[in-house]
Amino acid sequence: MPQPIAFPTPDKAVYQNSFVDTLRGDASLDNSPRQVPGYHYSRTAPTPVADPHLLAWSEEMAAFLGLAKPAERGPGAAVLAGNLVTETMKPFAARYGGHQFGNWAGQLGDGRAMSLGELTATDGTPWELQLKGAGPTPYSRRADGRAVLRSSVREFLCSEAMYHLGVPTTRALSLAATGDQVVRDMFYDGNARPEPGAVVARVAPTFVRFGSFQLLAALGEIDNLQALADYVITRYFPELGAPSPEVYVRWFAEVSRRTAVMVAHWQSVGFVHGVLNTDNMSILGLTIDYGPYGWLEPFDPDWTPNTTDFGGRRYAFGQQPRIGLWNLMALAQALGPLLPDPQALRPLLDEYAATFNATYRQLMARKLGLATFAAPDHALLEALPAALQTAEADLTLFFRGLSEAVPALLQEDDDALDTLLAAACYIEPGSAAHVPLRAWLVQYAGRLRQETAAPEVIQEGMLAANPKYVLRNYLAQQAIEAAEAGDLAPLHRLQQVLKTPFTEQPGHDDLAAKRPEWARTKPGSATLSCSS
Ligand code: AMP
Ligand code: MG
């Protein structure tokens, strides 16, 4: 009998370092903030914390990476909080730039993120392990390189929840407390206070961003630009062939496609990233850098939780598809120097809109239980947002309610329409604001009756496409407040429930309820900032 393989804990695992070994780095280990011209990265050392200990662990991520859970305190937890660098690790902070809120910001870089090394997952693919909040790097500018528990809980929970919803995303392996306090002015209003510090160990094949290429192009570091493109293509897009000008074009088309697919998923589940600066755009088309994000509750294309964006609402829910394109245009410009014709990527941008529309319609057709999506269905889909907004319908509750109402809708049971509206809308039943959505439901029910599949089959498909559980903003905030007070149970419960978001979970219906009225304006639930 073969013995089951015992996975190592993070301190015993063997790490590779392809980014460091392939690309150009400043090896000085000098953490003082500065410009780092000519390099892709800086070697760094995490700054140890007072009492590193594990608060949460993603079993699925660990099993996929081939890691065993370490003890709450000890060498494994020390690795995950930045207190222990093992022999095979070569920690680094990546150098990148970006457009912030539409303006070129120059060098940004990993100011509080540090990659420890790369693990080979159980399927043979390479995954980078990165600590967020492990202390200053040359890219920290005036900030401290740390992260607070509140933001770390949010990234840990949401990135894993997104994965289980089927949304392309970076992942999280662990959440560790540091035992240190971090001072933050949560709303930049002069009310700075100490908060508990934490470190998320996050994972992705690579954390290279659009801004990684932009900075090199902006500063004329064309050799470095090409080296980074070749590294990314060779390692993460091998199916495209050996790097060449034609392959750069195909690669850009693939990045555009993936970005469109990612944004289409966001629009279908009601996720608002909150800070879609080009430094927060993954070259792999993954949702990255969970900051002041939020989940739509009353449907509203103009909604963003990010107070820093209240002036322009550049990154509001309804703007995300357009911003994806804007960011790809910035990437296209950065890649221009690698091509004989720097304008060659422009026509490919049309593919973005085509892929976005096709993917979005496909996702919505599944949510609506429609096997085919013909011309009249486009009008049906296009009429939905305005009706949802007028009724202040909760996106998640509405689609889940629709799935549950399938038998009634097919039997022209009109009472079911009113039950659904009452359960899903923030505006009280009986209001004129429900009229357009009710009319839409009548039309939709008519369309549903044209489907040929059995009602149970339609319903089963819809229940598998419309989650019951999402990380509602106020639920995350409640888990944070409990964790800050030393109670990790709400955090662990949310983590557990969000692993199977499409499945009924008896005893957890309160996590699938309408946002309570008190949470409408509560800081941390309704409003967030970049201060994290
Ligand atoms: P973000 O808004 O989180 O995408 O961050 C934008 C830039 O600011 C990135 O270069 C971050 O690394 C940097 N940054 C954000 N917070 C901190 C912090 N506490 N310490 C150092 N750098 C930070
Ligand atoms: Mg960022």
Side-chain angles (χ1 to χ4, degrees), residues 96 100 108-113 132 139-141 143-147 184 209 275 277 279-280 289 530 532:
Y96 56 80
Q100 295 186 316
L108 296 166
D110 285 333
R112 53 151 163 199
K132 189 167 172 181
Y139 310 99
S140 299
R141 295 175 288 161
D144 57 6
R146 293 297 183 191
R184 285 290 181 275
R209 298 130 193 280
V275 202
N277 293 335
D279 54 302
N280 291 339
D289 279 7
C530 292
S532 57

Side-chain angles (χ1 to χ4, degrees), residues 168-528:
T169 180
T170 62
R171 302 284 305 272
L173 174 67
S174 66
L175 169 70
T178 61
D180 289 326
Q181 301 279 299
V182 175
V183 175
R184 285 290 181 275
D185 185 351
M186 187 171 161
F187 285 107
Y188 304 121
D189 58 3
N191 290 312
R193 65 176 179 100
E195 300 184 45
V199 176
V200 170
R202 59 184 188 175
V203 233
T206 176
F207 290 92
V208 171
R209 298 130 193 280
F210 289 11
S212 312
F213 300 93
Q214 282 184 284
L215 183 65
L216 302 173
L219 299 182
E221 297 179 21
I222 306 307
D223 288 354
N224 277 345
L225 177 68
Q226 179 165 358
L228 184 64
D230 291 358
Y231 168 79
V232 167
I233 292 169
T234 308
R235 199 167 163 85
Y236 300 106
F237 297 82
E239 66 283 2
L240 299 178
S244 70
E246 286 119 71
V247 168
Y248 296 142
V249 173
R250 290 213 293 277
W251 170 52
F252 180 75
E254 177 60 12
V255 175
S256 302
R257 192 192 66 76
R258 291 190 192 187
T259 303
V261 168
M262 169 185 77
V263 180
H265 272 94
W266 294 348
Q267 301 311 104
S268 78
V269 296
F271 173 78
V272 186
H273 181 285
V275 202
L276 286 177
N277 293 335
T278 56
D279 54 302
N280 291 339
M281 295 293 290
S282 146
I283 201 68
L284 301 181
L286 305 173
T287 312
I288 191 174
D289 279 7
Y290 289 82
Y293 67 81
W295 290 81
L296 273 193
E297 286 172 328
F299 184 86
D300 178 3
D302 208 29
W303 185 74
T304 174
N306 184 2
T307 53
T308 315
D309 195 24
F310 275 7
R313 297 192 175 271
R314 178 182 172 88
Y315 300 139
F317 177 68
Q319 298 297 326
Q320 296 185 129
R322 193 181 64 76
I323 290 294
L325 180 62
W326 195 99
N327 290 341
L328 282 163
M329 284 162 63
L331 178 64
Q333 194 178 356
L335 300 180
L338 302 181
L339 301 168
D341 171 11
Q343 299 300 319
L345 301 177
R346 291 247 148 201
L348 294 174
L349 290 166
D350 293 341
E351 292 294 313
Y352 170 83
T355 309
F356 173 79
N357 287 330
T359 311
Y360 181 68
R361 281 176 194 147
Q362 199 185 343
L363 292 168
M364 296 309 283
R366 277 194 68 210
K367 287 173 83 73
L368 293 168
L370 306 180
T372 55
F373 204 69
D377 301 326
H378 292 234
L380 188 70
L381 182 57
E382 276 157 29
L384 184 56
L388 289 173
Q389 186 173 7
T390 306
E392 292 193 8
D394 182 293
L395 193 68
T396 306
L397 289 177
F398 178 77
F399 278 103
R400 189 72 181 182
L402 211 55
S403 323
E404 281 156 5
V406 166
L409 292 173
L410 290 173
Q411 286 161 24
E412 299 186 53
D413 169 3
D414 273 9
D415 290 347
L417 302 188
D418 297 306
T419 312
L420 169 56
L421 289 171
C425 299
Y426 289 94
I427 290 192
E428 293 293 306
S431 162
H434 284 188
V435 172
L437 190 53
R438 197 176 190 289
W440 184 92
L441 282 168
V442 171
Q443 226 193 327
Y444 165 73
R447 171 63 184 83
L448 200 61
R449 287 194 287 276
Q450 294 167 12
E451 287 294 306
T452 51
E456 312 80 64
V457 174
I458 296 176
Q459 185 171 42
E460 203 182 313
M462 287 174 72
L463 289 170
N466 293 307
K468 173 155 178 162
Y469 301 99
V470 296
L471 184 60
R472 291 176 179 278
N473 311 311
Y474 82 93
L475 293 175
Q477 183 60 23
Q478 285 178 327
I480 289 164
E481 286 171 17
E484 285 175 345
D487 175 10
L488 295 173
L491 163 64
H492 291 150
R493 176 175 173 230
L494 265 181
Q495 186 195 357
Q496 188 61 32
V497 167
L498 293 169
K499 285 178 189 180
T500 50
F502 301 101
T503 310
E504 292 290 331
Q505 299 176 56
H508 297 295
D509 279 358
D510 58 312
L511 300 181
K514 238 186 237 181
R515 175 198 64 189
E517 191 50 36
W518 56 258
R520 185 180 277 264
T521 52
K522 189 179 186 320
S525 298
T527 51
L528 296 146

Side-chain angles (χ1 to χ4, degrees), residues 30-114:
D30 168 9
N31 279 348
S32 62
R34 62 188 187 281
Q35 297 294 308
V36 191
Y39 292 113
H40 292 108
Y41 66 87
S42 301
R43 286 294 309 280
T44 48
T47 306
V49 298
D51 178 24
H53 58 284
L54 205 56
L55 300 178
W57 175 255
S58 169
E59 289 293 349
E60 303 70 40
M61 192 67 238
F64 174 69
L65 292 174
L67 290 176
K69 185 179 181 179
E72 185 188 356
R73 284 180 172 77
V79 162
L80 298 170
N83 276 40
L84 175 63
V85 173
T86 63
E87 223 166 66
T88 55
M89 295 173 180
K90 296 180 186 172
F92 70 93
R95 175 174 175 250
Y96 56 80
H99 279 92
Q100 295 186 316
F101 296 93
N103 304 307
W104 178 243
Q107 177 183 295
L108 296 166
D110 285 333
R112 53 151 163 199
M114 252 174 248

